[in-house]
Amino acid sequence: MERESRLAGTVRPGGRTAKVRAAVLQATQDELVERGFDGLGMDQVAARAGVGKTTVYRRWGTAARLVTDLMTELAEQSAPPPDTGGIDDALRANALSVLGAVNDPRLGATFQAVIAAATCNEEAATALRAFYTRRIAEWAEVVDAAVGRGELPEGTDGPELIRAVSAPLYYRLVVTREPVDEVVAERAAARALAAARAGAFIGAPGG
Amino acid sequence: MERESRLAGTVRPGGRTAKVRAAVLQATQDELVERGFDGLGMDQVAARAGVGKTTVYRRWGTAARLVTDLMTELAEQSAPPPDTGGIDDALRANALSVLGAVNDPRLGATFQAVIAAATCNEEAATALRAFYTRRIAEWAEVVDAAVGRGELPEGTDGPELIRAVSAPLYYRLVVTREPVDEVVAERAAARALAAARAGAFIGAPGG
């Protein structure tokens, strides 16, 4: 919670700390896209951001922590919109948000760089896990609200349903290397919803 | 077809060509697991396999082609068993076969190495795509047979249903970096099946 409020304060527009963080995270993302996780250097990030090295070392300490903070910021940006429609619209919006992220040249390359690094680097894996844990938990609230409205069976596992919407998109993107488009996204949402309506997502959480 | 029969001949036990290929592919896999895709060298593979460099260069040409051939061999090994039970057993067997592969130290590391390389290397991506195209097509026949027996709705998209069984496992493995166990595998199969029974996989193929 304390971390939450610190970050919220940090990104307050106009604050000097916020400007430094924004510049450093943008430089981190640029370097990550161009050089990959293993090529990421603190000095290069500081130079690119136009920020003193001392500030970057003192505040982030290691390149891996820069990536972790970048992923925190990206998680904030991918929070679900206010829940206004039904669960079908919400899951569709979720799938289209994943689609937009993975097909965006800069954002897509960022995720691919961290996903690649995470196969053999525990810090990259931790940053990735933190991002998805947060994103999945936030979108799961949309599922819980739908259960509350009686749109989905009681006991539907929100995090698992959210994972099921994203999984087919990432599977094509990084595993089978097949194209990911709007049809793929909409079908992923519709299929996860059909299974949820049939009660296939009722079960112990986290399973 | 010609390629199929050549490979079938190649792996005939006892043949000299088969023995060379087996030794070279095993050395390729060892090097891939230890050094990653970018660290894979033809000379090291030849030395490790105890095979002349000239043979390896003449037969495979590049390190990427060694990986492609390795993936071809792994695809052959992951073909579905004879279809004896119902579709629920078959999809469960499919999910458990993915689980066994990704959690096997050697095989899991092989896939992670190629998946990581594929994020920035087109040859690795092509090898990966070829592996999954073949694996998905072979398992899709099991779905077609179930449709034929009336177990699933007419028009159910076999390749898409097979992708849907694997996707949640790989999503956890390489994207969210969460554990993948038998419960995850069985739920992936059960949820894909529930959606298929509800008609959510009826649609144009390849979508």
Side-chain angles (χ1 to χ4, degrees), chain B residues 80-133:
Chain B
D83 189 14
T84 50
I87 187 64
D88 42 357
D89 284 347
L91 294 185
R92 193 171 165 273
N94 184 18
L96 292 175
S97 123
V98 173
L99 175 71
V102 303
N103 280 347
D104 176 85
R106 184 173 153 87
L107 209 47
T110 304
F111 283 107
Q112 298 229 15
V114 185
I115 286 170
T119 61
C120 54
N121 180 307
E122 200 38 58
E123 289 182 303
T126 302
L128 212 51
R129 201 179 295 116
F131 171 83
Y132 289 103
T133 300

Side-chain angles (χ1 to χ4, degrees), chain A:
Chain A
M1 282 298 114
E2 222 172 274
R3 181 167 171 75
E4 290 278 334
S5 53
R6 187 181 65 75
L7 278 172
T10 305
V11 297
R12 189 184 63 233
R16 162 147 172 75
T17 316
K19 280 185 185 157
V20 167
R21 178 170 177 255
V24 167
L25 293 189
Q26 183 168 330
T28 299
Q29 193 169 4
D30 289 338
E31 290 282 312
L32 197 56
V33 167
E34 286 172 24
R35 293 175 214 283
F37 188 90
D38 294 331
L40 194 69
M42 304 282 281
D43 294 359
Q44 287 79 359
V45 167
R48 191 161 195 156
V51 168
K53 286 186 200 180
T54 321
T55 304
V56 176
Y57 278 96
R58 199 179 49 223
R59 184 143 172 208
W60 285 275
T62 66
R65 281 199 215 134
L66 282 171
V67 174
T68 302
D69 200 23
L70 171 64
M71 297 305 280
T72 303
E73 178 60 26
L74 295 179
E76 278 176 25
Q77 290 171 15
S78 86
D83 188 14
T84 49
I87 186 64
D88 43 355
D89 284 346
L91 294 185
R92 192 171 165 273
N94 184 17
L96 292 174
S97 125
V98 174
L99 175 71
V102 303
N103 280 348
D104 176 84
R106 184 173 152 87
L107 210 45
T110 304
F111 283 106
Q112 298 230 15
V114 185
I115 286 170
T119 63
C120 54
N121 179 307
E122 199 39 56
E123 289 184 302
T126 302
L128 211 51
R129 200 179 296 118
F131 171 84
Y132 288 103
T133 299
R134 178 168 178 163
R135 188 180 188 282
I136 290 167
E138 284 177 348
W139 278 90
E141 292 174 15
V142 174
V143 176
D144 294 344
V147 173
R149 289 190 306 267
E151 279 194 78
L152 287 174
E154 197 68 44
T156 296
D157 185 331
E160 275 292 273
L161 180 50
I162 295 303
R163 286 185 188 96
V165 172
S166 296
L169 280 75
Y170 280 100
Y171 179 64
R172 282 174 172 265
L173 180 79
V174 293
V175 180
T176 67
R177 312 294 311 186
E178 295 172 290
V180 182
D181 60 18
E182 214 162 305
V183 174
V184 170
E186 294 191 349
R187 287 184 177 166
R191 288 163 183 169
L193 184 58
R197 285 194 170 131
F201 283 89
I202 299 172

Side-chain angles (χ1 to χ4, degrees), chain B residues 13-24:
Chain B
R16 163 148 172 74
T17 316
K19 281 183 185 157
V20 166
R21 178 168 177 256
V24 168

